[in-house]
């Protein structure tokens, strides 16, 4: 899923996502690929992403009023999901969103990973603690690959990151965001 929300401003949310699904999926050959079944799947994704109520709204853009920035971000996610992939790479899916929309976005991704068996790899910068705690796994890399060789600092369950910091001699201060703390230490 790309970081930028590039869509045609005169299409509706439903048309935008349906077009991606039609382009990325083979022609129907079975009941599961039937257009009606695909439409139900599309509606399920729109509902899960909180977009069903705006499915007939225009995307909009510079010259035309449309859905909000947070809704556009979720349309971009829906476009990635409708392709039916087993693995999704999401490059900063919360970039430019309010804290509330960012949390909603990650909650939806987590829900969909459970619901449809999707594996989702997310690049995210400076998440709030409420967002960071939604992730199952955490991989922390050094910020400057030239200076530090691009080393992995932590790779494990998000729930074990606090204990790991204590074990390696960098206890996280009370009320600190563990992800921010780890980034400061790196």
């Amino acid at each position: 899923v790309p970081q930028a929300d590039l869509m045609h401003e005169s299409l509706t949310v439903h048309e935008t996502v349906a077009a991606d699904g039609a382009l990325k999926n083979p022609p129907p050959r079975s009941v599961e690929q039937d257009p009606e079944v695909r439409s139900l799947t599309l509606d399920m994704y729109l509902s899960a992403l909180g977009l069903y109520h705006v499915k007939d709204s225009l995307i909009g853009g510079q010259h035309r009023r449309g859905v909000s920035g947070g809704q556009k971000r979720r349309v971009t996610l829906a476009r990635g999901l409708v392709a039916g992939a087993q693995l999704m790479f999401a490059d900063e899916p919360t970039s430019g969103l309010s804290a509330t929309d960012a949390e909603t976005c990650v909650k939806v991704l987590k829900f969909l990973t459970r619901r449809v068996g999707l594996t989702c790899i997310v690049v995210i910068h400076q998440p709030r603690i409420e967002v960071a705690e939604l992730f199952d796994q955490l991989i922390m890399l050094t910020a400057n690959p030239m200076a530090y060789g691009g080393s992995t600092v932590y790779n494990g369950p998000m729930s074990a990151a606090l204990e790991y910091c204590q074990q390696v001699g960098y206890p996280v201060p009370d009320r600190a965001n563990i992800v921010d703390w780890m980034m400061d230490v790196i």
Side-chain angles (χ1 to χ4, degrees):
V1 176
Q3 184 177 6
D5 300 321
L6 302 174
M7 294 170 262
H8 198 284
E9 65 183 47
S10 63
L11 293 178
T12 66
V13 168
H14 188 273
E15 291 167 339
T16 300
V17 179
D20 269 63
L23 290 171
K24 293 178 181 175
N25 289 302
R29 291 191 190 133
S30 67
V31 173
E32 291 82 25
Q33 296 174 332
D34 182 86
E36 284 186 39
V37 173
R38 281 189 181 177
S39 181
L40 290 172
T41 302
L42 176 82
D43 287 347
M44 179 197 72
Y45 285 134
L46 293 177
S47 292
L49 290 163
L51 295 168
Y52 192 80
H53 70 287
V54 295
K55 76 176 191 167
D56 296 320
S57 300
L58 294 177
I59 293 296
Q62 260 185 331
H63 306 291
R64 188 179 298 219
R65 186 172 173 87
V67 296
S68 73
Q71 290 167 332
K72 282 183 185 174
R73 185 88 262 223
R74 287 180 278 151
V75 170
T76 298
L77 291 172
R79 291 171 64 198
L81 291 167
V82 78
Q86 299 285 318
L87 176 65
M88 176 190 283
F89 291 95
D91 184 15
E92 298 186 46
T94 62
S95 186
L97 299 181
S98 69
T100 302
D101 283 342
E103 186 174 350
T104 299
C105 178
V106 173
K107 281 181 177 178
V108 166
L109 285 174
K110 184 166 186 159
F111 167 77
L112 289 171
T113 60
R114 303 281 194 271
R115 177 76 190 252
V116 298
L118 174 74
T119 297
C120 189
I121 298 172
V122 177
V123 174
I124 191 166
H125 297 280
Q126 297 178 312
R128 285 184 3 183
I129 189 64
E130 295 86 358
V131 171
E133 289 174 343
L134 292 170
F135 291 101
D136 296 326
Q137 296 288 318
L138 174 67
I139 300 174
M140 295 288 287
L141 305 172
T142 55
N144 186 344
M146 300 305 285
Y148 303 104
S151 300
T152 302
V153 175
Y154 178 77
N155 181 4
M158 182 65 199
S159 60
L162 182 66
E163 183 181 333
Y164 172 80
C165 288
Q166 290 171 331
Q167 286 176 354
V168 296
Y170 294 99
V172 179
D174 291 339
R175 296 188 303 244
N177 179 336
I178 186 163
V179 177
D180 287 341
W181 173 250
M182 289 176 84
M183 290 302 296
D184 289 345
V185 169
I186 292 171

